[in-house]
Amino acid sequence: MMKISSIKIGDILQGQVEEDMEKPFVGTVEKLYNNSVLIHITDYSPEDEDNVAELNHKIVVAGSGLKKSKNTPKAKAKTKTKPKKKD
């Protein structure tokens, strides 16, 4: 559980929102509200792939559902990388 006053834009936090996600996720704070924050989801369980897509990789989470991220969840980030061009 975190106080909103201790959170800054750019912080990497771990959250759990049982209504929208099956497992915990990690993301970057994009915007602060009075009692919640907008998180860009960067790391999540494969079980939540459809949920994250439906949420457009963003979710609003109450401060009580967040904690500082020391380690990411067991799943690896679902980010796509561009192939490198050969010279």
Side-chain angles (χ1 to χ4, degrees):
M1 183 167 157
M2 295 187 71
K3 291 183 179 183
I4 297 298
S5 61
S6 68
I7 299 173
K8 296 178 181 70
I9 292 176
D11 282 354
I12 298 173
L13 304 176
Q14 183 175 355
Q16 174 100 31
V17 180
E18 294 176 5
E19 296 85 10
D20 296 315
M21 303 280 286
E22 299 289 324
K23 303 285 183 179
F25 58 89
V26 173
T28 305
V29 176
E30 289 193 343
K31 189 169 183 176
L32 300 170
Y33 299 104
N34 288 334
N35 297 309
S36 57
V37 297
L38 176 66
I39 301 282
H40 176 82
I41 302 167
T42 56
D43 193 7
Y44 52 91
S45 172
E47 296 172 40
D48 282 319
E49 189 164 357
D50 290 339
N51 296 332
V52 172
E54 188 175 317
L55 293 165
N56 293 317
H57 291 265
K58 296 183 189 253
I59 191 166
V60 175
V61 184
S64 60
L66 296 169
K67 62 182 179 179
K68 289 281 185 187
S69 178
K70 294 180 183 173
N71 296 315
T72 59
K74 293 178 183 177
K76 296 295 178 188
K78 296 285 183 181
T79 55
K80 294 181 180 178
T81 56
K82 295 180 182 178
K84 293 182 180 180
K85 290 184 179 181
K86 293 183 180 180
D87 292 333

